[in-house]
Amino acid sequence: MAATRAGPRAREIFTSLEYGPVPESHACALAWLDTQDRCLGHYVNGKWLKPEHRTSVPCQDPITGENLASCLQAQAEDVAAAVEAARTAFKSWSAHPGVVRAQHLVRLAKVIQKHQRLLWTLESLVTGRAVREVRDGDVQLAQQLLHYHAIQASTQEEALAGWEPMGVIGLILPPTFSFLEMMWRICPALAVGCTVVALVPPASPTPLLLAQLSGELGPFPGILNVISGPTSLVPVLASQPGIQKVAFCGALEGGLRLLIQESVWDEAMRRLQERMGRLRSGRGLDGAVDMGARGAAACDLVQRFVREAQSQGAQVFQAGDVPSEHPFYPPTLVSNLPPASPCARAEVPWPVVVASPFRTAKEALALANGTPRGGSASVWSERLGQALELGYGLQVGTVWINAHGLRDPSVPTGGCKESGCSWHGGPDGLYEYLRPSGTPAQLSCLSKNLNYDTFGLAVPSTLPAGTEIGPSPAPPYGLFVGGRFQAPGARSSRPIQDSSGNLHGYVAEGGAKDIRGAVEAAHQAFPGWAGQSPGARAALLWALAAALERRKSTLASRLERQGVELKAAEAEVELSARRLRAWGARAQAQGHTLQVAGLRGPVLRLREPLGVLAVVCPDEWPLLAFVSLLAPALAYGNTVVMVPSAACPLLALEVCQDMATLFPAGLANVVTGDRDHLTRCLALHQDVQAMWYFGSAQGSQFVEWASAGNLKPVWVNRGCLRAWDQEAEGAGPELGLRSARTKALWLPMGD
Amino acid sequence: MSAHNRGTELDLSWISKIQVNHPAVLRRAEQIQARRTVKKEWQAAWLLKAVTFIDLTTLSGDDTSSNIQRLCYKAKYPIREDLLKALNMYDKGITTAAVCVYPARVCDAVKALKAAGCNIPVASVATGFPAGQTHLKTRLEEIRLAVEDGATEIDVVINRSLVLTGQWEALYDEIRQFRKACGEAHLKTILATGELGSLTNVYKASMIAMMAGSDFIKTSTGKETVNATFPVAIVMLRAIRDFFWKTGNKIGFKPAGGIRSAKDSLAWLSLVKEELGDEWLKPELFRIGASTLLSDIERQIYHHVTGRYAAYHDLPMS
């Protein structure tokens, strides 16, 4: 028999039956860092870029603090070089057929598969996350993402006809992130033909490794470029000429909020605490820990949160097998936090769960929806009816019924409210990086002269402008709010001229108070309208179409006053009626079922209304543009506040007369007045869920800036005219996409 | 072995509201296997511990006194002496927890163990094993005869038809009678979970068996098409925990059927450790029903001690 290798400890372990260390060797990660002489630069155009005279930041093991490498910090010229490389690469990458891109993505997936140990050990080493999570979760999903998007790329020419890639995408990554989050964004971007410049925070080697793996594949070196640098470079990247879109990426999953029904509170808390007691924490590279550590900063953050929660009267329970030294922190259960305390509103840090009780499912829904966040939620209930009620009612991007944290490349993942409105995965993820063919490229020169504080702040005063010599009957007067015409709060009016400069009529001068009233009315009407079946919504839109046709001669004559030929005016009315009918029919398809690998049961991809949608109509096509925007918005279940054409709002007001008799009050509200002022009021209203703006470049810039306040999705035209009478621009799929948001509802099954 | 579970009055409210969430149980089962492993000395020590949980079993039509004798000897000396010495574990008296045989072989086993000079308990399956489809009277008589022959643990099978038709009171009464027939012997109740239809039924049957006075609940006979699986085990372990929380009584758990590799046995140990805690990791509360597992464990210990993989002839057969 060979020599004995047994250690002395077996005897003690036999009695204690404790767990031992299961170290995962990270030799290959260190060897990779050695190939760069422990000095990481940037990866641009298939080559390492290590410019001289740059400051560097150490990349440390978050647990031991050991220096692993130093990372060069980019400067503006490095960013420019990366964008230039991506622009050059875009020319050939986007010109290739989708099949070629598909092959490249599949090759990248295979390279990742071959070097997966390097990838997972490096990621776990530098982030401190449990290696098991990275190995069994992230790395596998990264490959699935590449394969899924390869399939999408290969069918792009047929499935996504009418769309073209945007161009160079700037991707901004937060200080703590998983490389998987980056994959969710770069896979669809690359698949549809975009190229990417990712700005990663200092000391994040994994994206650099991915870029290297991609770059070394050969023919398309510049499609994925990674530069590492401070957040001060974000505006530099965003304003580089050629950058068509800037995508942000969320931080790692934080803590959780847990709502437990009062009747099972004690039992559930007991079980939760019992289970927490069995969690193991330790070095991320240990194969048998449930959780790693996320470095000193994360640890300080959670310490502060728990201390504050305690001082605000919360009960804190901590348990688990956790090393006592910094930066490890035990799993923490916080309960009895007074609802009005600051901690109850604040974002919960990892690894904390804040539990609160509720009495009824209705109350649970109100509590869950009463936060500014809208990423994902899970519902645990054995009652199917109740679970579905909650699943449909939650205002989030993803709902898991009796499961948590499942993801799949074919299921769109996104959010609403302050969790952002972009989508990853599934068909929705592709559209993030596409634009309708023929749309002008985005010019990234933002006007520095726009004063956000004063834009649209004051309304120029208007005086009586002579006698009205309009056709009879007189045009309707007032703001159409809550189903009837109302006098404006300011009690003043603005004159509307016809094409020959004569006074056509007066319209009400709406203001901030009127916008507030209109948004309120729209909110009141929303639950009823959103709850209607698509068929019922279509019926109403068809009724409006019929009413429009009955009113054809009045509408046509008003258009004539605006200088439109009679024939063209009649055609515009007819086309408007057709648009209403078409959207009523299209919105019948409200989603579909996805089948996901490894999951028993369906995933429902739902299309849900956004809520209250603010629409600022263009000056041109006063009837057709108004109706073309109104129809999809209503068809998908939104209620609207609309600012009609500033040049001729009278057409919209004519339509309002029919809406007053046909529509429930508040469904559509129309506010006339100074466009800039009304735009300002709407964009700064926190309870408007989405905004479409078709006006000046300045107005577009203002809307985008102001909407950052509640992160609502916006659609602006940057001062470019649209051909509303053309099918693609006036009624294309883009309008449908922007009229609703997607929700993924996971329904695992089994008895 | 410790005192018996006296059981409780039948309280149907303990099972009436229960609904087991199947997908969630499956996820948890996957997780535990992926998240807990032991290596090196820990692995060796855990494997030796696993040996002490084994009910070394032979339940074949061709069992005779000679292979029963060999089984009993293996139960007494489960791991080669030199390997135990190398691990400094020779004096720990490592034996398997019990031997488990058919009623007709109990005498052989008792005799063989006596000859080997050890007090390893003899467990006997009973009550019309494995289907349980015989008259109650003969099932009860079977228990009494096995006890008379010297079995100190009786592995009974439940009447699956009572579970599938929801006759919980009748099931409780039957197990109660088994309990009585066992006298001083320990009652291990086999739920045959592969034939119960749903995890919810597994939970309910577990709870009834414990209320009726079982000392152990056991997953399967080893003769069903589906045997000891992690999802089923999680449900049974949660039932054991609930019963403990309600009554303060600790009931044992015995997975059986299909546990063949040393790696499997480690996963079962960590499952019990995670779900119930270290108090359950002793032969009084945890058993593994297996016949070929022991030789794989011995093989792994050999590798741990010597750094070489054993040839077939390096280890004695059981």
Side-chain angles (χ1 to χ4, degrees):
Chain A
M1 196 165 86
T4 292
R5 299 192 314 158
R9 294 208 49 203
R11 223 181 142 82
E12 297 146 44
I13 303 163
F14 182 77
T15 314
S16 68
L17 269 189
E18 64 190 8
Y19 289 115
V22 187
E24 174 91 23
S25 164
H26 57 284
C28 59
L30 296 179
W32 180 74
L33 290 172
D34 284 338
T35 63
Q36 296 302 315
D37 299 324
R38 301 278 178 140
C39 168
L40 296 172
H42 319 289
Y43 199 81
V44 172
N45 206 15
K47 290 187 289 285
W48 284 96
L49 179 67
K50 293 185 183 173
E52 286 181 5
H53 312 299
R54 298 283 188 273
T55 53
S56 69
V57 167
C59 171
Q60 291 173 327
D61 181 328
I63 290 161
T64 60
E66 177 198 346
N67 263 357
L68 299 169
S70 63
C71 301
L72 298 181
Q73 298 292 81
Q75 285 182 2
E77 54 195 281
D78 307 329
V79 176
V83 173
E84 197 43 51
R87 284 178 79 169
T88 312
F90 176 72
K91 286 182 198 126
S92 68
W93 179 243
S94 61
H96 275 92
V99 181
V100 173
R101 289 196 294 276
Q103 281 166 353
H104 191 80
L105 294 181
V106 169
R107 284 176 65 209
L108 182 55
K110 285 191 175 146
V111 170
I112 288 180
Q113 187 188 20
K114 286 174 196 156
H115 300 288
Q116 49 181 314
R117 172 175 289 275
L118 170 58
L119 199 56
W120 81 56
T121 47
L122 182 69
E123 173 80 353
S124 173
L125 177 68
V126 297
T127 61
R129 293 170 60 215
V131 67
R132 166 193 57 73
E133 225 173 85
V134 183
R135 181 190 58 206
D136 303 344
D138 295 7
V139 173
Q140 308 312 318
L141 192 48
Q143 294 169 53
Q144 290 166 15
L145 276 166
L146 285 163
H147 282 293
Y148 174 82
H149 286 99
I151 293 170
Q152 306 307 310
S154 70
T155 60
Q156 187 177 0
E157 282 83 3
E158 305 92 74
L160 297 168
W163 297 81
E164 62 184 20
M166 283 181 166
V168 180
I169 308 296
L171 176 60
I172 317 268
L173 293 145
T176 60
F177 70 98
S178 129
F179 81 94
L180 190 61
E181 290 304 323
M182 180 172 134
M183 294 300 287
W184 276 102
R185 286 154 183 86
I186 62 173
C187 289
L190 293 178
V192 299
C194 294
T195 56
V196 179
V197 176
L199 175 62
V200 300
S204 9
T206 325
L208 289 165
L209 169 61
L210 273 173
Q212 188 192 359
L213 291 178
S214 161
E216 287 174 357
L217 277 179
F220 307 105
I223 56 171
L224 176 60
N225 307 280
V226 174
I227 42 179
S228 105
T231 47
S232 58
L233 283 179
V234 171
V236 177
L237 175 61
S239 62
Q240 282 296 316
I243 288 280
Q244 290 297 308
K245 180 187 175 109
V246 178
F248 286 89
C249 167
L252 275 179
E253 195 187 0
L256 294 174
R257 286 185 190 278
L258 185 63
L259 301 170
I260 304 175
Q261 194 154 27
E262 221 171 82
S263 53
V264 292
W265 171 267
D266 291 339
E267 188 76 351
M269 288 295 270
R270 179 178 190 179
R271 284 163 197 272
L272 194 59
Q273 292 177 353
E274 170 82 13
R275 184 84 162 68
M276 282 169 68
R278 311 245 180 253
L279 290 176
R280 298 188 74 231
S281 171
R283 190 169 160 72
L285 283 165
D286 188 312
V289 299
D290 296 297
M291 45 193 264
R294 294 188 183 173
C299 186
D300 294 342
L301 185 74
V302 59
Q303 267 174 350
R304 211 162 38 238
F305 179 89
V306 170
R307 239 191 342 260
E308 272 169 34
Q310 244 163 346
S311 72
Q312 287 161 13
Q315 274 178 13
V316 172
F317 173 86
Q318 295 184 319
D321 178 3
V322 182
S324 53
E325 69 267 20
H326 200 79
F328 290 101
Y329 199 83
T332 304
L333 178 62
V334 173
S335 56
N336 281 11
L337 193 60
S341 60
C343 279
R345 301 283 306 164
E347 196 148 343
V348 182
W350 183 87
V352 177
V353 170
V354 174
S356 7
F358 67 88
R359 291 166 299 174
T360 61
K362 212 173 167 184
E363 190 180 47
L365 201 55
L367 286 168
N369 285 340
T371 72
R373 284 164 286 275
S376 58
S378 51
V379 176
W380 296 83
S381 169
E382 277 303 311
R383 271 182 273 168
L384 180 66
Q386 189 178 59
L388 285 177
E389 166 103 33
L390 289 166
Y392 274 81
L394 282 164
Q395 291 164 6
V396 293
T398 304
V399 178
W400 297 284
I401 305 281
N402 294 329
H404 189 82
L406 307 178
R407 294 188 87 173
D408 186 90
S410 64
V411 180
T413 312
C416 57
K417 294 195 267 188
E418 289 184 10
S419 297
C421 52
S422 62
W423 289 89
H424 323 294
D428 305 69
L430 299 172
Y431 290 113
E432 293 287 326
Y433 305 99
L434 291 167
R435 63 174 169 229
S437 303
T439 315
Q442 184 188 326
L443 308 164
S444 62
C445 43
L446 287 177
S447 164
K448 297 227 163 59
N449 301 327
L450 179 63
N451 187 339
Y452 295 117
D453 293 336
T454 58
F455 176 84
L457 189 61
V459 183
S461 358
T462 47
L463 298 167
T467 44
E468 285 180 66
I469 41 158
S472 74
Y477 178 82
L479 306 169
F480 183 66
V481 172
R484 56 196 181 86
F485 287 94
Q486 299 183 358
R491 295 290 190 271
S492 55
S493 307
R494 57 193 292 118
I496 301 299
Q497 263 114 31
D498 62 17
S499 56
S500 44
N502 296 324
L503 182 67
H504 191 168
Y506 285 98
V507 295
E509 181 75 73
K513 289 226 169 94
D514 303 306
I515 290 293
R516 191 190 67 185
V519 171
E520 227 164 74
H523 267 292
Q524 270 169 16
F526 177 70
W529 183 242
Q532 294 271 0
S533 74
R537 288 186 214 140
L540 218 52
L541 290 178
W542 284 38
L544 185 63
L548 232 61
E549 278 161 351
R550 280 196 299 276
R551 208 179 272 278
K552 187 164 158 187
S553 61
T554 324
L555 291 167
S557 72
R558 287 224 188 278
L559 283 170
E560 261 189 297
R561 285 279 309 261
Q562 294 300 317
V564 185
E565 299 242 337
L566 180 62
K567 256 205 162 137
E570 282 178 350
E572 186 175 345
V573 178
E574 278 160 25
L575 183 55
S576 302
R578 275 212 301 282
R579 290 271 157 87
L580 284 165
R581 292 210 174 88
W583 281 111
R586 273 194 223 171
Q588 301 290 307
Q590 290 278 302
H592 58 259
T593 309
L594 303 166
Q595 199 62 52
V596 166
L599 177 84
R600 288 188 65 217
V603 180
L604 307 185
R605 174 180 171 269
L606 307 173
R607 294 288 284 162
E608 294 194 336
L610 301 160
V612 173
L613 177 58
V615 183
V616 179
C617 299
D619 276 349
E620 69 278 10
W621 297 100
L623 176 66
L624 181 62
F626 175 81
V627 172
S628 297
L629 291 166
L630 175 76
L634 292 185
Y636 282 95
N638 305 289
T639 54
V640 293
V641 176
M642 299 189 75
V643 177
S645 158
C648 183
L650 297 168
L651 273 302
L653 292 171
E654 289 287 351
V655 178
C656 288
Q657 285 183 299
D658 290 315
M659 294 201 285
T661 54
L662 292 169
F663 282 7
L667 184 54
N669 304 277
V670 175
V671 181
T672 53
D674 181 71
R675 184 168 60 197
D676 287 353
H677 181 59
L678 297 176
T679 297
R680 179 182 185 90
C681 298
L682 284 167
L684 288 173
H685 199 303
Q686 293 284 98
D687 218 8
V688 166
Q689 274 77 40
M691 184 153 179
W692 298 348
Y693 176 88
F694 296 90
S696 62
Q698 284 214 329
S700 301
Q701 188 179 336
F702 178 84
V703 167
E704 289 194 321
W705 172 83
S707 296
N710 64 353
L711 290 178
K712 58 176 163 281
V714 292
W715 180 21
V716 296
N717 69 333
R718 297 179 198 291
C720 301
L721 298 182
R722 270 178 98 83
W724 292 98
D725 55 335
Q726 300 298 309
E727 186 65 17
E729 295 200 358
E734 192 183 10
L735 283 107
L737 278 177
R738 293 189 185 268
S739 299
R741 67 161 171 261
T742 302
K743 178 193 268 180
L745 186 60
W746 293 69
L747 294 167
M749 63 185 189
D751 175 32
Chain B
M1 236 198 201
S2 57
H4 293 299
N5 171 24
R6 293 180 181 284
T8 63
E9 293 292 313
L10 179 66
D11 186 345
L12 287 177
S13 74
W14 289 8
I15 63 166
S16 58
K17 280 195 201 152
I18 287 298
Q19 187 68 47
V20 176
N21 189 308
H22 191 262
V25 171
L26 293 188
R27 293 258 300 159
R28 173 78 179 129
E30 261 172 39
Q31 271 178 4
I32 292 186
Q33 294 173 82
R35 289 190 181 186
R36 294 289 184 268
T37 48
V38 280
K39 298 271 184 237
K40 304 215 163 82
E41 290 115 293
W42 283 268
Q43 192 179 60
W46 279 51
L47 285 175
L48 288 177
K49 197 72 180 185
V51 169
T52 69
F53 297 142
I54 293 177
D55 275 3
L56 197 59
T57 304
T58 177
L59 293 170
S60 306
D62 57 3
D63 285 342
T64 63
S65 63
S66 69
N67 78 317
I68 296 289
Q69 197 177 0
R70 204 161 60 217
L71 184 84
C72 291
Y73 191 82
K74 187 71 183 170
K76 170 91 165 87
Y77 304 104
I79 304 288
R80 236 170 61 176
E81 195 182 314
D82 56 329
L83 299 177
L84 287 176
K85 276 189 176 142
L87 287 164
N88 190 21
M89 297 289 285
Y90 186 59
D91 57 341
K92 284 278 187 182
I94 291 175
T95 67
T96 68
V99 293
C100 181
V101 295
Y102 269 124
R105 299 270 75 84
V106 170
C107 281
D108 293 337
V110 170
K111 212 159 82 190
L113 286 169
K114 205 168 186 179
C118 69
N119 52 359
I120 298 174
V122 174
S124 168
V125 295
T127 70
F129 184 93
Q133 299 278 23
T134 58
H135 293 295
L136 180 59
K137 203 169 161 188
T138 54
R139 282 186 272 153
L140 291 170
E141 194 58 25
E142 210 181 338
I143 296 176
R144 287 188 204 105
L145 291 173
V147 173
E148 264 177 40
D149 283 352
T152 53
E153 300 180 4
I154 306 292
D155 289 24
V156 301
V157 291
I158 62 162
N159 187 339
R160 272 83 102 185
S161 62
L162 295 180
V163 175
L164 292 168
T165 54
Q167 300 181 60
W168 304 113
E169 283 162 55
L171 180 65
Y172 175 85
D173 290 339
E174 268 200 23
I175 301 174
R176 259 291 196 239
Q177 293 186 57
F178 295 160
R179 159 85 276 165
K180 214 168 144 203
C182 282
E184 281 308 299
H186 273 72
L187 174 64
K188 288 148 79 187
T189 304
I190 305 171
L191 303 177
T193 53
E195 294 177 354
L196 295 188
S198 72
L199 291 180
T200 304
N201 274 349
V202 169
Y203 183 94
K204 291 181 174 179
S206 304
M207 205 45 122
I208 295 284
M210 290 186 285
M211 283 194 265
S214 309
D215 297 299
F216 265 82
I217 51 175
K218 176 173 166 184
T219 57
S220 22
T221 60
K223 310 279 182 191
E224 292 97 45
T225 44
V226 180
N227 292 300
T229 65
F230 263 48
V232 158
I234 287 172
V235 172
M236 292 173 72
L237 292 170
R238 296 274 167 99
I240 289 173
R241 188 178 69 180
D242 288 348
F243 189 77
F244 172 63
W245 281 352
K246 283 178 199 292
T247 66
N249 284 344
K250 289 180 184 159
I251 306 301
F253 173 65
K254 177 176 171 185
I259 305 173
R260 294 193 184 89
S261 73
K263 195 169 175 235
D264 286 350
S265 70
L266 293 177
W268 282 96
L269 256 64
S270 54
L271 176 68
V272 171
K273 187 178 166 79
E274 290 296 308
E275 288 292 325
L276 293 174
D278 291 344
E279 308 114 272
W280 259 266
L281 286 176
K282 50 188 180 188
E284 293 81 13
L285 289 171
F286 180 52
R287 298 286 179 83
I288 298 172
S291 41
T292 55
L293 169 65
L294 183 55
S295 50
D296 192 51
I297 291 183
E298 199 175 7
R299 196 165 289 280
Q300 295 305 322
I301 300 273
Y302 180 97
H303 177 248
H304 175 75
V305 171
T306 64
R308 294 164 183 246
Y309 291 105
Y312 181 72
H313 59 257
D314 279 334
L315 299 166
M317 68 184 284
S318 59

